[in-house]
Amino acid sequence: MLAWLLIAGVNGVAQKASAQEYINTEATQAQESIDLNSPPLSPINPMAQVTSVSQLKDVQPNDWAFQALQSLVERYGCIAGYPDSSYRGNRALTRYEFAAGVNACLDRVNELIATATSDLVTREDLATLQKLQSEFAPELATLRGRVDSLEAKTGELEANQFSTTTKLSGLLIVGIQGRTSNRGDVNPRDGQKDTDDAGTNINVISLAQLYLTSQITPSSYLFTGLLDGNGTTSPRFTNSVSRNDVFLGYEFPTDSLIVSDLNFHWLVTDKLAVMVGTEGVSMPAAFRGPNRVESAATGPLSFFAQRNPILNMGYGHGGIAIDWQFAKRASLQAIYTSYQPGNPGNSSGLFDGTTTTGVQLLLTPTDTLDLSLYYVNNYSSDGCLLTFVGDECLTTVNTTTGKSAPLQTNAVGATVTWQISPRISAGAWGGYTKSYIPGQSGNVETTNYMVFMNFPDLFAKGNLGGIYVGQPPKITSSDLPVGNNVPDFINTGLGRAGGQPGTTTQIEAFYRFQLTDNISITPGIIHLLQPGNTPDSDSVTIGILRSTFSF
């Protein structure tokens, strides 16, 4: 109220000064609206207090300030009118009038405060408060000490925090695995086990990752990841038969520390999010995983058991992705990504070389059921889909040029998971790809599937058990131009039409011990039947012990 009066007073003085300094049309009109015959303000003829806005004859209900005047008059009683029952709202305010109005309002406010608080606190109330303070003096002292301690700890955290806008997180995975020896029928495949895989007693794989999440605005952040990996599941046959027979989820050998993620996330609306960047823009990062335990650090052990290999296709680095929650139980994710976005040139770059476009529809019909349907279109400059599982390179290397033909691939798949009970969930996925060499006849087709069961809180809260059985991607048919077909090239070196002679089956079981919120240990076993889709190769068994530390 006082602020309103002050503003009104200042505006009035300003208007009066302007009228004296500038003579224009607006000033003339303002002066004409004042009743020049009304008696001036003087000690003999002062302004009088009014008790109703209706007493002011020149104030109408359609005036823009009518409600403000009504409140000041009838609620606070601090508006004075002229002796002729006028208010003269267009008249410039003098300093005397301003002082009189403010004084009237202050007197009224003081009166209201005195009336409202006259019986607020009695002497008996004060005595009661003093008695309670004495009785609870020890508790109050303890509480005061705790508050002081919390303030000290808060001050220490604020002084030593990593950043006010950036959060640091990370994980370290160390896996020890041993592999059985076996013999394999390698190219040319002729039904004879002619190559030995000596196996190994101890093999160590490690993976370290650091993440920086930098808040840019309340609805956006920059995500940066650093990665360093060492070790592989060796030995492997030195040929394409079982090149990807076992590939662990945390197996990522690097020569040095690399930038694994560099992308910007923006929540455009409550239902639409966008991710764009030069690193880490891939389907595993952009698409929501219906398998709720999907994680190379704390979930299944193998790369194949993480998700449908179709969703790894292209191994994207840079691009753009969106996530749209268009209904309460339905969302749509889409992505365009490139394998080498920062290297424009022959068969590389953001719009050339290996590029991937994908879309996923994720449905949750009930709280216990998740269903995802996805379609992926991929162009590979060398015929390799970069899924790192099973049959991923679908054209042969030309012995003359040392290169393999490019492929255009269309892939479809679906994943379903069902939370049977709080401690049992089941799921499955299936996938199909069909590829062709641009401008040439023929196609190469692959299929893959997986069925699995997860057991959350098995034997103890926080632990996890899992059983996964599936077929990695397998070339079921290939009738590309002669010389380009992988199965027959391994068999005879001619590359004629035909599919793989056998079917690889992977069986995986693991149990995660959650020691603390940040530390877990996961023993497990992986058994492969007919590795490399070769029926005359021995089975492979790998025992694994994975330890994970996260912060």
Side-chain angles (χ1 to χ4, degrees):
M1 175 185 66
L2 292 176
W4 184 89
L5 287 172
L6 288 171
I7 292 170
V10 171
N11 288 339
V13 174
Q15 290 173 4
K16 184 175 182 180
S18 299
Q20 292 173 349
E21 188 172 354
Y22 301 100
I23 303 299
N24 56 27
T25 304
E26 292 183 359
T28 303
Q29 291 175 348
Q31 291 172 359
E32 289 176 352
S33 65
I34 301 174
D35 184 1
L36 299 178
N37 296 322
S38 61
L41 176 65
S42 67
I44 302 175
N45 191 19
M47 291 186 296
Q49 181 68 47
V50 295
T51 59
S52 174
V53 72
S54 61
Q55 295 176 247
L56 301 172
K57 63 181 181 180
D58 58 347
V59 175
Q60 304 299 323
N62 58 352
D63 290 336
W64 67 271
F66 178 81
Q67 291 184 348
L69 289 171
Q70 186 178 41
S71 176
L72 290 172
V73 170
E74 299 176 4
R75 185 175 181 183
Y76 297 102
C78 57
I79 288 294
Y82 289 98
D84 62 350
S85 298
S86 65
Y87 181 68
R88 306 180 193 175
N90 292 325
R91 185 183 184 280
L93 186 71
T94 68
R95 294 173 62 87
Y96 291 113
E97 292 168 329
F98 176 69
V102 170
N103 183 66
C105 281
L106 287 176
D107 288 344
R108 180 57 179 161
V109 168
N110 288 330
E111 179 183 346
L112 293 172
I113 293 175
T115 302
T117 60
S118 59
D119 297 325
L120 187 61
V121 179
T122 65
R123 193 176 297 275
E124 291 77 7
D125 294 333
L126 294 175
T128 301
L129 288 174
Q130 290 175 349
K131 182 179 179 181
L132 290 172
Q133 185 176 6
S134 299
E135 290 180 358
F136 290 95
E139 288 80 2
L140 291 173
T142 301
L143 182 60
R144 187 180 302 111
R146 291 180 178 178
V147 172
D148 293 341
S149 177
L150 287 173
E151 288 180 348
K153 290 180 180 179
T154 301
E156 182 180 357
L157 289 173
E158 290 177 348
N160 296 282
Q161 62 183 328
F162 176 75
S163 171
T164 56
T165 58
T166 300
K167 179 181 178 182
L168 174 66
S169 59
L171 61 86
L172 172 64
I173 305 173
V174 178
I176 302 175
Q177 50 276 327
R179 172 179 175 143
T180 62
S181 60
N182 69 307
R183 297 177 62 207
D185 178 15
V186 299
N187 54 321
R189 285 187 297 200
D190 53 8
Q192 302 295 321
K193 300 176 183 179
D194 46 18
T195 300
D196 291 333
D197 181 345
T200 181
N201 291 326
I202 296 177
N203 185 41
V204 179
I205 296 176
S206 65
L207 179 71
Q209 288 183 281
L210 290 177
Y211 303 111
L212 300 173
T213 305
S214 303
Q215 199 76 32
I216 307 300
T217 68
S219 59
S220 66
Y221 65 91
L222 178 68
F223 185 71
T224 306
L226 303 174
L227 182 149
D228 184 35
N230 292 282
T232 61
T233 50
S234 62
R236 284 193 174 101
F237 291 134
T238 57
N239 60 84
S240 60
V241 174
S242 57
R243 184 166 69 95
N244 296 319
D245 54 0
V246 174
F247 197 82
L248 299 179
Y250 50 92
E251 186 174 344
F252 199 108
T254 60
D255 296 330
S256 59
L257 186 67
I258 65 170
V259 177
S260 60
D261 295 272
L262 185 59
N263 44 71
F264 177 74
H265 296 246
W266 177 31
L267 187 63
V268 183
T269 69
D270 291 341
K271 299 181 183 296
L272 179 64
V274 175
M275 175 172 66
V276 60
T278 58
E279 286 289 346
V281 183
S282 61
M283 285 184 283
F287 288 6
R288 307 187 203 180
N291 185 1
R292 301 183 185 184
V293 303
E294 176 183 313
S295 170
T298 58
L301 294 164
S302 69
F303 194 62
F304 176 41
Q306 298 298 318
R307 66 192 70 87
N308 193 322
I310 287 175
L311 298 177
N312 296 322
M313 191 179 298
Y315 190 60
H317 287 267
I320 185 171
I322 65 169
D323 188 346
W324 177 31
Q325 187 76 39
F326 64 89
K328 182 179 180 180
R329 293 184 176 272
S331 64
L332 187 71
Q333 294 87 47
I335 189 172
Y336 175 84
T337 183
S338 170
Y339 180 62
Q340 292 182 313
N343 187 27
N346 185 24
S347 299
S348 63
L350 184 59
F351 300 106
D352 195 9
T354 298
T355 58
T356 303
T357 303
V359 61
Q360 173 180 256
L361 174 64
L362 182 62
L363 305 173
T364 307
T366 68
D367 292 340
T368 60
L369 189 65
D370 294 310
L371 172 64
S372 66
L373 307 170
Y374 32 89
Y375 164 77
V376 178
N377 181 275
N378 171 264
Y379 176 80
S380 171
S381 59
D382 61 359
C384 291
L385 303 183
L386 298 177
T387 61
F388 305 104
V389 175
D391 290 338
E392 61 146 358
C393 290
L394 308 183
T395 56
T396 62
V397 176
N398 188 296
T399 56
T400 302
T401 63
K403 298 180 179 180
S404 52
L407 280 181
Q408 187 75 49
T409 300
N410 291 286
V412 292
T415 303
V416 61
T417 61
W418 176 31
Q419 190 74 35
I420 301 173
S421 72
R423 300 204 173 188
I424 301 176
S425 68
W429 73 62
Y432 168 80
T433 71
K434 187 173 184 178
S435 310
Y436 63 92
I437 300 174
Q440 299 189 32
S441 62
N443 297 282
V444 53
E445 301 177 23
T446 74
T447 61
N448 81 86
Y449 74 86
M450 176 71 80
V451 293
F452 56 89
M453 294 190 72
N454 295 311
F455 304 93
D457 298 330
L458 182 63
F459 303 131
K461 186 173 179 59
N463 294 352
L464 174 68
I467 299 175
Y468 287 65
V469 179
Q471 171 207 296
K474 168 192 171 182
I475 297 175
T476 56
S477 68
S478 182
D479 60 355
L480 300 173
V482 174
N484 291 284
N485 300 287
V486 170
D488 186 66
F489 185 83
I490 299 174
N491 295 340
T492 66
L494 299 177
R496 297 169 300 187
Q500 291 285 27
T503 300
T504 300
T505 301
Q506 175 173 313
I507 304 170
E508 177 176 339
F510 65 90
Y511 181 73
R512 186 191 72 210
F513 294 90
Q514 195 68 40
L515 303 181
T516 69
D517 290 341
N518 306 98
I519 301 175
S520 66
I521 295 178
T522 309
I525 188 170
I526 298 174
H527 184 70
L528 292 179
L529 301 172
Q530 298 187 15
N533 295 307
T534 303
D536 296 305
S537 291
D538 290 342
S539 299
V540 176
T541 302
I542 298 180
I544 304 165
L545 182 64
R546 178 188 66 194
S547 58
T548 303
F549 169 71
S550 62
F551 65 93

